[in-house]
């Protein structure tokens, strides 16, 4: 960044940023419980660290603004989802979030429900929890690139301006343009999602005309760095955020990003080649990005920007530097790092949901992880596909397909949220794995259509923007070679050892998100004769767990040839 202005003309600010909170009120468990070995997350710990960093910034003479980059709600565990994410909104307001962009998951229950999250009011069907009303978010959601089809105007404010130590700082908030491909289409029929660069520059220019020349973009899109031992580096960085930043105006000096659930702190070049600070704080409230700003009061521009990620540590450290555990991977929580106000709110909802959440529904024999093999297949993906196949046997289902993005957490053998014995699985744990309440659909696809679906897994083919390997049920198998041309990578499709006949018809089960073309699997919309199973996709998983102990899937049904 440019050299600092003389001290008498310098204004000081501090941004505290996080993204992809996903209603993670309880600390994450299993393989996601720690960040580079440090146990982290849980809303009372996130609140502690945010308030601690805010106090430190204010003590250093900085004015502090707390910001988010989307997916604050949606894909949430039962303690939040059971109350339509009102607990998460209440908790984010309490910890002092000021402004956030929307993300794709803010649209999981549609535009109308998102507006209720902002403005308040009881749920139109289920009313309000305990009859105490719902006031909506005390922070401001921004949606610059989500416009009403009729009015062509943003559905929520596109920008917000904060006066930081006497200097106006503009915040532009957006979700990724590709949101329609990764949310249920039914809830977003009235809106358009516009190009990120064009939208950011439009509102940046308007802010400039109003004299706001120090600007921050809150964008629910991101990238990832390579393997690293540091949460605040940018090594081997890749991702779609880079070309977006490369198209931005000079006024935007900071981009707080998200969506990829990765941590990084980068400097990427903008349209004129100037470095822009680009950050992401991972996911589940396990990190907070501490961004220090200095500005010139005369020019009203940024003069220096520095950023680093802080782990929202929640554990108890042993004398040798290791962390106390009660079982492998199950960390002891540190009461000294709990924010009392956040804990009081969280405990209210934990108590209310406990009878449902802590009900034991089945068992597992070992950890069932969602980590993928080189082929893209995971043990938990196998289990979920098998569960959906069994759940729809009465509809004649022959195979099942599951989207990997719908698998939100592992099943951990030692986890005991309700005090149940190790290996037993509660409804709350199952819901955390599959929190979307998707319907389960069985319909007919020809062998040729099924092949087209599998070819559409690869980025660049038939409208697919990112490679997504669908999880498949037992008895179905195929191979692929990623070095071959798009559209001809898949081979050797078999069902129970018999080659798939392109002209034959097969009964396929999936969720309605995929059946409606979600994740850009438009080939799945070709299915005919839909039959809907009772309940939701989580009910299929629960029914399967009840047959347990369920073992981890073999993750050997898909063969990667190259």
């Amino acid at each position: 960044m440019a050299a600092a202005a003389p001290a008498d003309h310098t204004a000081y600010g501090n941004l505290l940023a996080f993204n992809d909170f996903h209603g993670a009120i309880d600390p994450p468990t299993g393989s996601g419980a720690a960040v580079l070995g440090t146990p982290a997350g849980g809303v009372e710990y996130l609140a502690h660290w945010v308030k601690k960093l805010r106090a430190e910034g204010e003590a250093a003479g900085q004015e502090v603004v707390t910001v988010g980059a989307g997916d604050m709600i949606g894909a949430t565990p039962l303690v939040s989802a059971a109350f339509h994410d009102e607990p998460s909104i209440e908790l984010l307001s309490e910890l002092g979030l000021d402004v956030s962009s929307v993300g794709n998951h803010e649209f999981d229950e549609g535009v109308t429900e998102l507006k209720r999250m902002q403005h308040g009011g009881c749920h139109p069907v289920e009313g309000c929890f305990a009859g105490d009303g719902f006031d909506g978010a005390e922070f401001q959601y921004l949606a610059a690139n989500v416009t009403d089809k009729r009015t062509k105007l943003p559905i929520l404010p596109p920008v917000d301006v904060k006066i930081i130590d006497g200097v106006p700082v503009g915040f532009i908030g957006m979700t990724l343009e590709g949101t329609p491909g990764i949310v249920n289409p039914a809830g977003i029929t009235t809106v358009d999602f516009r190009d990120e660069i064009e939208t950011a520059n439009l509102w940046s220019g308007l802010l400039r005309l109003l004299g706001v020349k120090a600007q921050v973009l809150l964008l629910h899109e991101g990238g990832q760095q390579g393997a690293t031992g540091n949460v605040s580096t940018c090594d081997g960085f890749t991702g779609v955020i880079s070309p977006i930043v490369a198209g931005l105006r000079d006024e935007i000096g900071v981009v707080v990003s998200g969506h990829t659930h990765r941590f990084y702190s980068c400097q990427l070049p903008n349209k004129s080649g100037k470095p822009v600070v680009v950050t992401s704080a991972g996911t589940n409230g396990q990190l907070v990005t501490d961004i220090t700003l200095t500005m010139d009061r005369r020019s009203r521009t940024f003069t220096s920007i520095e950023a680093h990620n802080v782990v929202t540590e929640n554990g108890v450290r042993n004398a040798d530097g290791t962390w106390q555990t009660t079982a492998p991977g199950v960390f002891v929580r540190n009461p000294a790092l709990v924010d009392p106000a956040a804990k009081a709110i969280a405990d209210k909802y934990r108590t209310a949901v406990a009878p449902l959440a802590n009900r034991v529904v089945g068992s597992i024999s070992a950890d069932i992880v969602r980590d993928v093999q080189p082929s893209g297949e995971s043990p938990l993906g196998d289990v979920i596909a098998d569960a959906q196949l069994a759940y729809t046997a009465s509809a004649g289902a022959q195979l099942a397909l599951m989207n990997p993005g719908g698998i939100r957490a592992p099943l951990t053998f030692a986890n005991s949220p309700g005090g149940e014995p190790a290996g037993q699985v509660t409804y709350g744990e199952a819901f955390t794995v599959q929190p979307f309440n998707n319907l389960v659909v069985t319909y007919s696809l020809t062998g040729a259509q099924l092949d087209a679906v599998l070819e559409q897994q690869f980025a660049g083919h038939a409208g697919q923007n990112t490679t997504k390997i669908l999880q498949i049920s037992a008895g179905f198998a195929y191979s692929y070679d990623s070095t071959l041309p798009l559209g001809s990578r898949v081979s050797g499709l078999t069902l129970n050892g018999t080659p798939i006949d392109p002209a034959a018809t097969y009964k396929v089960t999936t969720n309605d998100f995929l059946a409606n073309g979600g994740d850009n699997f438009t080939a799945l919309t070709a299915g005919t004769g839909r039959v809907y199973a009772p309940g939701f996709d989580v009910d299929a998983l629960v029914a399967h767990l009840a047959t347990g102990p369920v073992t981890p899937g073999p993750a050997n049904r898909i063969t990667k040839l190259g």
Side-chain angles (χ1 to χ4, degrees):
M1 303 301 294
D8 56 329
H9 297 297
T10 300
Y12 299 94
N14 180 210
L15 305 181
L16 301 177
F18 58 97
N19 50 277
D20 296 272
F21 176 61
H22 288 293
I25 291 173
D26 295 326
T29 61
S31 58
V35 176
L36 299 181
T38 300
V43 74
E44 54 262 68
Y45 304 98
L46 172 63
H48 166 86
W49 285 100
V50 167
K51 292 178 181 180
K52 178 177 184 293
L53 292 169
R54 183 180 295 130
E56 291 173 354
E58 290 172 347
Q62 303 163 350
E63 291 200 16
V64 183
V65 179
T66 304
V67 302
D71 280 8
M72 298 292 112
I73 58 173
T76 52
L78 190 63
V79 66
S80 183
F83 308 103
H84 297 282
D85 283 335
E86 293 176 19
S88 292
I89 295 294
E90 184 176 349
L91 282 158
L92 291 167
S93 298
E94 198 286 325
L95 67 78
L97 183 62
D98 291 301
V99 60
S100 176
S101 71
V102 294
N104 55 285
H105 282 289
E106 264 79 13
F107 295 91
D108 281 351
E109 294 192 44
V111 172
T112 301
E113 179 67 357
L114 169 58
K115 290 181 177 179
R116 188 179 75 87
M117 292 292 98
Q118 179 70 80
H119 302 302
C122 294
H123 190 271
V125 175
E126 298 182 20
C128 277
F129 168 63
D132 60 356
F134 174 59
D135 294 332
E138 295 179 15
F139 58 92
Q140 180 63 62
Y141 267 125
L142 303 180
N145 68 331
V146 187
T147 58
D148 184 277
K149 287 181 181 293
R150 182 178 59 85
T151 67
K152 310 302 181 184
L153 297 174
I155 61 167
L156 290 169
V159 299
D160 194 12
V161 177
K162 303 290 186 185
I163 305 301
I164 299 180
D165 199 14
V167 175
V169 177
F171 296 87
I172 306 165
M174 303 190 300
T175 186
L176 70 157
E177 183 185 8
T179 292
I182 50 177
V183 301
N184 198 314
I188 56 171
T189 58
T190 62
V191 295
D192 293 313
F193 293 84
R194 300 191 177 275
D195 180 82
E196 299 97 335
I197 298 173
E198 291 178 4
T199 305
N201 286 339
L202 169 66
W203 291 103
S204 173
L206 292 172
L207 286 170
R208 167 80 187 215
L209 287 174
L210 295 173
V212 181
K213 294 180 281 186
Q215 299 171 11
V216 177
L217 177 60
L218 309 176
L219 175 60
H220 191 69
E221 181 60 286
Q224 61 185 34
Q225 62 173 320
T228 178
N230 191 322
V231 296
S232 298
T233 54
C234 194
D235 298 330
F237 190 78
T238 59
V240 296
I241 192 69
S242 296
I244 293 174
V245 174
L248 297 179
R249 293 171 54 105
D250 284 350
E251 288 83 2
I252 299 173
V254 184
V255 177
V256 178
S257 68
H259 188 54
T260 56
H261 291 194
R262 303 303 180 95
F263 48 74
Y264 47 83
S265 179
C266 302
Q267 287 202 6
L268 301 176
N270 71 359
K271 190 175 183 178
S272 62
K274 294 182 179 180
V276 177
V277 172
V278 181
T279 69
S280 174
T283 184
N284 291 333
Q286 293 184 299
L287 294 159
V288 177
T289 309
D290 190 357
I291 306 170
T292 301
L293 311 171
T294 61
M295 295 158 285
D296 187 327
R297 295 182 191 274
R298 297 167 301 178
S299 66
R300 295 183 169 186
T301 58
F302 293 124
T303 53
S304 69
I305 304 170
E306 297 182 0
H308 67 280
N309 283 322
V310 178
V311 179
T312 61
E313 174 188 320
N314 64 24
V316 177
R317 196 183 291 272
N318 293 311
D320 63 0
T322 60
W323 299 95
Q324 291 184 22
T325 59
T326 57
V330 180
F331 295 98
V332 175
R333 309 299 177 191
N334 190 342
L337 301 177
V338 169
D339 178 74
K343 185 177 187 302
I345 296 171
D347 282 350
K348 175 180 69 172
Y349 291 104
R350 288 168 177 150
T351 299
V353 82
L356 174 61
N358 295 335
R359 176 170 60 89
V360 172
V361 296
S363 60
I364 55 177
S365 64
D367 289 352
I368 306 181
V369 300
R370 59 175 181 158
D371 306 70
V372 297
Q373 301 296 311
S375 65
E377 187 178 354
S378 75
L380 186 51
D382 285 358
V383 167
I384 292 173
D386 290 348
Q388 294 188 359
L389 180 63
Y391 195 64
T392 54
S394 61
Q398 295 169 277
L399 62 100
L401 306 173
M402 175 63 192
N403 56 307
I407 306 171
R408 307 303 297 189
L411 286 171
T412 304
F413 185 84
N415 194 37
S416 299
E420 72 281 358
Q424 294 196 347
V425 181
T426 65
Y427 182 81
E429 290 177 281
F431 190 90
T432 299
V433 172
Q434 288 189 273
F436 292 108
N437 279 341
N438 289 317
L439 301 176
V440 181
V441 182
T442 303
Y443 58 0
S444 296
L445 290 170
T446 66
Q449 290 170 329
L450 183 59
D451 180 76
V453 169
L454 298 179
E455 293 287 2
Q456 204 173 25
Q457 295 176 117
F458 303 100
H461 180 65
Q464 185 58 265
N465 53 14
T466 59
T467 296
K468 304 178 182 75
I469 302 300
L470 296 170
Q471 308 299 290
I472 62 176
S473 56
F476 184 49
Y478 71 93
S479 301
Y480 72 88
D481 188 338
S482 59
T483 68
L484 294 176
L486 289 168
S488 59
R489 293 182 172 182
V490 175
S491 61
L493 283 69
T494 61
L495 183 61
N496 300 320
T498 301
I500 292 289
D501 180 353
T505 299
Y506 299 88
K507 291 286 189 181
V508 178
T509 292
T510 186
N511 57 53
D512 66 331
F513 167 74
L514 279 176
N516 293 335
D519 276 347
N520 295 306
F521 282 100
T522 54
L524 278 169
T525 64
T528 58
R530 292 191 183 196
V531 176
Y532 290 88
F536 300 106
D537 50 359
V538 69
D539 298 312
L541 178 60
V542 165
H544 190 58
L545 291 168
T547 68
V550 172
T551 59
N556 63 358
R557 301 164 185 174
I558 303 171
T559 302
K560 182 179 181 182
L561 301 175

